[in-house]
């Protein structure tokens, strides 16, 4: 048992995320992942704005991992599977390319793409 977490904010965030994932069903998990990717990209841009010379490795890695997972988790019977896998792969590649020399402009575009997808998922969820 870990008595004192080195970064309590991360521990609380992880507990909250674990609880949301545990309670999720169906497409909820995709929405959670999109929200987490957006949060990681927002944190990345914020950190770049504060210190452009320092690469924000942790949030970039988190966003990259989420994009890869989303691409791998598209249901085989989804009629848009090919397009979705290609879309997520492009986002993962863009994030990966920014892990050594981040471009704020590119990362804002990736954030916008994730945001558009989240809005579409939420609209579809409301319509169902």
């Amino acid at each position: 048992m870990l008595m004192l977490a080195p970064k309590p904010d991360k521990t609380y965030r992880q507990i909250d995320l674990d609880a949301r994932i545990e309670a999720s069903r169906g497409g909820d998990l995709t929405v959670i992942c999109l929200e987490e990717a957006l949060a990681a990209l927002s944190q990345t841009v914020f950190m770049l704005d504060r210190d452009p010379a320092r690469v924000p490795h942790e949030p970039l890695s988190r966003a990259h991992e989420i994009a890869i997972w989303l691409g791998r988790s598209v249901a085989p019977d989804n009629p848009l599977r090919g397009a979705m896998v290609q879309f997520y792969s492009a986002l993962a590649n863009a994030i990966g390319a920014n892990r050594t020399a981040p471009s704020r402009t590119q990362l804002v575009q990736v954030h916008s793409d994730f945001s558009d997808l989240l809005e579409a998922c939420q609209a579809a969820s409301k319509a169902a």
Side-chain angles (χ1 to χ4, degrees):
M1 181 166 104
L2 184 61
M3 296 300 284
L4 297 174
K7 295 187 177 182
D9 60 319
K10 289 183 184 179
T11 302
Y12 288 121
R13 185 178 168 282
Q14 187 62 47
I15 290 169
D16 179 59
L17 178 59
D18 290 347
R20 289 181 66 206
I21 290 170
E22 187 68 30
S24 70
R25 56 186 164 74
D28 293 345
L29 188 56
T30 299
V31 169
I32 291 168
C33 289
L34 292 171
E35 290 171 347
E36 288 296 311
L38 285 166
L41 290 165
S42 293
Q43 184 180 14
T44 298
V45 171
F46 175 77
M47 292 172 77
L48 285 172
D49 287 345
R50 290 185 75 197
D51 186 357
R54 185 169 176 237
V55 178
H57 294 289
E58 187 178 330
L60 273 172
S61 293
R62 192 167 68 244
H64 188 244
E65 290 169 6
I66 292 168
I68 291 170
W69 183 87
L70 285 166
R72 291 180 180 165
S73 68
V74 178
D77 60 341
N78 185 325
L80 297 175
R81 184 180 198 295
M84 292 305 300
V85 169
Q86 184 178 10
F87 179 75
Y88 288 131
S89 294
L91 292 175
N93 289 339
I95 295 167
N98 279 276
R99 290 176 74 180
T100 53
S103 162
R104 185 185 189 288
T105 304
Q106 290 176 4
L107 292 167
V108 167
Q109 180 59 53
V110 170
H111 184 280
S112 177
D113 292 343
F114 271 115
S115 183
D116 290 345
L117 187 56
L118 177 60
E119 287 178 27
C121 286
Q122 291 170 332
S125 177
K126 288 179 184 176

